[in-house]
Amino acid sequence: MSKLERLTGRTVIVTGGAQGIGRAMALGLVSEGAKVAIVDIAEDAARSLVESIGAEHGAGRALAIRADICQPDECARVVAQAVERFGQVDGLVNNAGRGMTAIRSDYLDRPVPFWEVDADRWQALMDLNVRAPFFLAKLIAPRLVAQKWGRIINITTSLDTMYRAAYTPYGPSKAWLEAATVGWARDLEGTGVTCNALIPGGAVNTAFFDKSAPLQRDSLIQPEAMVAPACWILSDEAGGISGHRFVARLWDRNLADADAAKAAGSPAAWQMLGSQSLWPGAKPVQ
């Protein structure tokens, strides 16, 4: 099966799918045959993207869902609407998130030590970056396990960003999601469902940075870099891979996907450190 067909018959939910990285991935998934539920609080942008997809690929390939996925009932509605429209759900890309601009718009010029972080802004960021992916994965996992096939992708960040100075709570929120990726992968072992992390590998040209930020936009990673690894992870070809992280910046499109994955991938969430605290009878991680 060609790359343009390998996701045919699959339905994927992409959160934050109307803008930036999410938009690029949604377009990429559709181009490889998938149907996509584009979930975003920006309803107009989501509907516009669905119209564009319909014009290029035909009607019925994408669905726009406006939802506040920080709320469990809204997450349930997202899954229900996707299933109602497409008949099934095969994958989830937990992409929606807030960055440090949600804490202070000019944080690059005026770094925010953790004790200056506003409590309400902290909560809002953690709700979207931590609560939302958990609730969606919790709702979707039983469906995927029942059909013995499924893919969950969590969009995290570079390891050094997780503990960078003046990056609370964004960095720690992504550390949580990456740790969750491995825990979920182990819960899903043997079910036919995988869970992996995907990261850009550096600053990306998206709205995570304020328009006035002192950055050369053309020197940043472009959102389209995420498309090739995302499509591979969501395909049958990646069925044996779970609990890994893949760095889009390192993905060499001149290589076969399996080789590109080896070069760009590694165990997620510091598994290479081995076990340092064991439950009685547990085996150390190799």
Side-chain angles (χ1 to χ4, degrees):
M1 182 177 292
S2 72
K3 288 185 179 181
L4 294 180
E5 301 173 334
R6 63 181 172 179
L7 298 180
T8 299
R10 302 299 186 191
T11 296
V12 181
I13 294 174
V14 181
T15 66
Q19 307 167 82
I21 288 173
R23 185 179 192 278
M25 289 190 293
L27 288 168
L29 296 177
V30 170
S31 72
E32 295 204 12
K35 296 178 181 178
V36 180
I38 298 166
V39 183
D40 208 296
I41 199 72
E43 185 174 14
D44 289 345
R47 291 188 181 280
S48 176
L49 179 55
V50 168
E51 289 176 5
S52 296
I53 289 171
E56 182 173 354
H57 299 280
R61 295 289 301 280
L63 169 68
I65 304 176
R66 185 193 184 282
D68 176 6
I69 55 173
C70 297
Q71 307 304 321
D73 57 341
E74 288 281 273
C75 291
R77 180 173 62 81
V78 165
V79 176
Q81 284 190 229
V83 172
E84 181 180 7
R85 171 64 68 88
F86 299 120
Q88 65 188 69
V89 171
D90 303 292
L92 166 66
V93 181
N94 277 317
N95 168 71
R98 291 187 172 97
M100 286 302 295
T101 53
I103 304 301
R104 181 179 288 169
S105 62
D106 60 347
Y107 77 96
L108 289 175
D109 293 321
R110 295 194 303 133
V112 191
F114 72 88
W115 59 86
E116 291 184 8
V117 174
D118 177 81
D120 290 338
R121 289 173 180 257
W122 181 95
Q123 189 65 66
L125 185 148
M126 295 297 284
D127 283 349
L128 187 56
N129 291 14
V130 172
R131 279 169 56 96
F134 169 73
F135 286 132
L136 281 166
K138 172 181 169 63
L139 286 163
I140 287 171
R143 291 181 174 275
L144 303 182
V145 170
Q147 66 193 29
K148 300 180 181 180
W149 198 101
R151 302 284 186 266
I152 297 172
I153 297 178
N154 293 324
I155 305 302
T156 66
T157 193
S158 301
L159 293 176
D160 58 333
T161 301
M162 294 178 183
Y163 49 76
R164 181 174 296 166
Y167 258 67
T168 295
Y170 174 72
S173 75
K174 291 300 185 178
W176 180 92
L177 188 56
E178 180 134 346
T181 298
V182 178
W184 300 351
R186 292 179 177 179
D187 287 346
L188 292 165
E189 187 173 352
T191 66
V193 183
T194 68
C195 183
N196 291 284
L198 175 59
I199 71 168
V204 186
N205 184 17
T206 69
F208 258 42
F209 296 106
D210 189 74
K211 291 180 179 180
S212 63
L215 297 168
Q216 294 293 326
R217 293 279 174 171
D218 57 359
S219 68
L220 302 180
I221 296 171
Q222 300 305 309
E224 290 73 22
M226 301 285 278
V227 173
C231 288
W232 180 79
I233 295 168
L234 288 160
S235 73
D236 287 332
E237 299 166 29
I241 306 298
S242 196
H244 277 61
R245 67 181 347 246
F246 296 92
V247 182
R249 178 177 57 82
L250 302 179
W251 192 276
D252 187 347
R253 300 196 66 177
N254 294 315
L255 299 176
D257 281 335
D259 294 328
K262 288 180 182 178
S266 63
W270 321 282
Q271 295 174 72
M272 65 288 295
L273 296 179
S275 296
Q276 298 177 343
S277 177
L278 296 178
W279 289 98
K283 295 181 180 180
V285 177
Q286 300 298 318

